[in-house]
Amino acid sequence: MEKRAEEAARRWLADQGVRRVRDGWVSDDKPEMLLTANQVAHSWAGDVFAEDLDPADQVRLAFGLLDLLDEYWVTCEIRFANEGAEGPLPADELWDGYRQRLEADRDAEAVTYSLWVDWFEDHETSATAFAEVLGHDIDRVVVERSEALLRRARRVLECSGPVRWTVKEPSYRTAMRLPTLHAAVFRGVLASFHDVYGDLEPAAALSLLGRLDLPTDTQHLAELRHVLAAGHKNHYRSPGAWDDAVRCSAAGTPRRREQVICRPD
């Protein structure tokens, strides 16, 4: 399906006079000027939603353009169209487009970045977005355990830092039933502490960490446990807390333990 969407986008761009060449893209208007994929996205992605097409077909064409260009800006135009005068976009096509790309065995950075900074950081859309890309399906992920579903789950968990704790915690706990998702849950909790808009409940997060099967030398695990035990909710609301945790973690070796006394604040 993605390949068909990508080919449809390629044909649509050709109709706009834009085509790929060896080192980038060119337009018929200025064939001597080489364009990057990002420039193509900024110049033409928004035009998809001015096409005389059914809104569902517009969404599918936009996601095909995302597949073709692999540029975050295409997701911005999708979001603008959803919030614009002609919006909202058809929810089934919108979220199915995200789910398909989260499951695909190819780079998904533009998609996960879009979820993180646009949909998850906005508390008006965060709960719905998280439910659509993972929350509604987490039980199926655990039961079916297909590579595609697990891939989607990992990607969403890892960028879920800004999602309200009460929204994402049930999915975190369900995901913990699969050891293969434990590392992704850990990275989700870590992001929940470090993201500017990250959200967590320290006691609940610390309890969750205690049930994860992780290597004892997992990077940042000791520091995260320390700040949570001290009751800190967010890196930016507790300046210096993480540095203190790093200092205490380093002091945990027998050689240095006598030099530094560490306790939760």
Side-chain angles (χ1 to χ4, degrees), residues 147-176:
E147 284 301 316
L149 286 174
L150 290 171
R151 190 179 297 117
R152 168 155 57 107
R154 289 189 191 98
R155 286 168 167 170
V156 175
L157 290 167
E158 290 175 3
C159 70
S160 63
V163 179
R164 292 288 193 192
W165 182 255
T166 53
V167 170
K168 65 193 175 189
E169 183 186 17
S171 292
Y172 281 13
R173 294 194 175 277
T174 301
M176 286 168 54

Side-chain angles (χ1 to χ4, degrees), residues 69-124:
L69 300 175
D70 193 26
E71 287 292 336
Y72 162 68
W73 186 256
V74 180
T75 70
C76 293
E77 295 290 357
I78 293 173
R79 178 78 186 268
F80 296 156
N82 186 67
E83 297 177 345
E86 302 300 319
L89 298 172
D92 287 347
E93 282 72 20
L94 172 63
W95 296 117
D96 193 50
Y98 272 92
R99 288 189 292 264
Q100 286 181 31
R101 278 122 195 115
L102 288 164
E103 293 179 7
D105 187 14
R106 57 178 287 181
D107 182 79
E109 183 177 358
V111 177
T112 55
Y113 188 74
S114 169
L115 286 176
W116 175 36
V117 302
D118 293 328
W119 298 98
F120 288 171
E121 285 190 354
D122 185 342
H123 287 159
E124 292 186 5

Side-chain angles (χ1 to χ4, degrees), residues 202-218:
L206 185 61
S207 172
L208 188 151
L209 282 186
R211 296 170 53 196
L212 294 178
D213 184 13
L214 300 169
T216 55
D217 61 348
T218 297

Side-chain angles (χ1 to χ4, degrees), residues 1-262:
M1 183 177 293
E2 285 182 48
K3 284 298 182 183
R4 291 199 299 272
E6 185 174 332
E7 284 305 314
R10 192 189 307 275
R11 291 193 299 272
W12 179 81
L13 276 180
D15 290 341
Q16 316 310 307
V18 181
R19 55 193 170 82
R20 176 177 274 167
V21 294
R22 180 176 180 181
D23 296 319
W25 297 82
V26 294
S27 70
D28 290 346
D29 290 340
K30 297 181 179 179
E32 74 286 354
M33 180 182 296
L34 191 65
L35 302 171
T36 66
N38 188 47
Q39 289 172 315
V40 173
H42 274 79
S43 297
W44 281 277
D47 293 346
V48 167
F49 296 100
E51 284 290 317
D52 185 18
L53 294 171
D54 180 272
D57 288 331
Q58 291 178 340
V59 174
R60 285 188 282 267
L61 180 58
F63 275 108
L65 203 59
L66 175 61
D67 297 334
L68 183 64
L69 300 175
D70 193 26
E71 287 292 336
Y72 162 68
W73 186 256
V74 180
T75 70
C76 293
E77 295 290 357
I78 293 173
R79 178 78 186 268
F80 296 156
N82 186 67
E83 297 177 345
E86 302 300 319
L89 298 172
D92 287 347
E93 282 72 20
L94 172 63
W95 296 117
D96 193 50
Y98 272 92
R99 288 189 292 264
Q100 286 181 31
R101 278 122 195 115
L102 288 164
E103 293 179 7
D105 187 14
R106 57 178 287 181
D107 182 79
E109 183 177 358
V111 177
T112 55
Y113 188 74
S114 169
L115 286 176
W116 175 36
V117 302
D118 293 328
W119 298 98
F120 288 171
E121 285 190 354
D122 185 342
H123 287 159
E124 292 186 5
T125 60
S126 182
T128 295
F130 184 81
E132 290 287 354
V133 296
L134 183 61
H136 291 331
D137 290 333
I138 189 61
D139 289 320
R140 185 161 70 94
V141 171
V142 171
V143 171
E144 295 185 13
R145 308 184 185 191
S146 71
E147 284 301 316
L149 286 174
L150 290 171
R151 190 179 297 117
R152 168 155 57 107
R154 289 189 191 98
R155 286 168 167 170
V156 175
L157 290 167
E158 290 175 3
C159 70
S160 63
V163 179
R164 292 288 193 192
W165 182 255
T166 53
V167 170
K168 65 193 175 189
E169 183 186 17
S171 292
Y172 281 13
R173 294 194 175 277
T174 301
M176 286 168 54
R177 290 157 52 188
L178 287 183
T180 188
L181 291 178
H182 282 202
V185 172
F186 167 71
R187 285 190 283 272
V189 177
L190 185 65
S192 298
F193 179 78
H194 278 300
D195 282 4
V196 174
Y197 300 103
D199 190 65
L200 57 72
E201 291 299 327
L206 185 61
S207 172
L208 188 151
L209 282 186
R211 296 170 53 196
L212 294 178
D213 184 13
L214 300 169
T216 55
D217 61 348
T218 297
Q219 189 176 21
H220 304 312
L221 176 58
E223 294 89 344
L224 184 57
R225 283 175 172 159
H226 185 89
V227 295
L228 295 178
H232 297 295
K233 291 187 174 184
N234 183 271
H235 183 114
Y236 295 91
R237 290 180 230 163
S238 302
W242 189 261
D243 289 341
D244 288 344
V246 171
R247 173 177 58 84
C248 291
S249 178
T253 62
R255 184 174 61 85
R256 297 192 58 192
R257 191 173 290 127
E258 296 179 357
Q259 300 174 25
V260 181
I261 298 176
C262 296

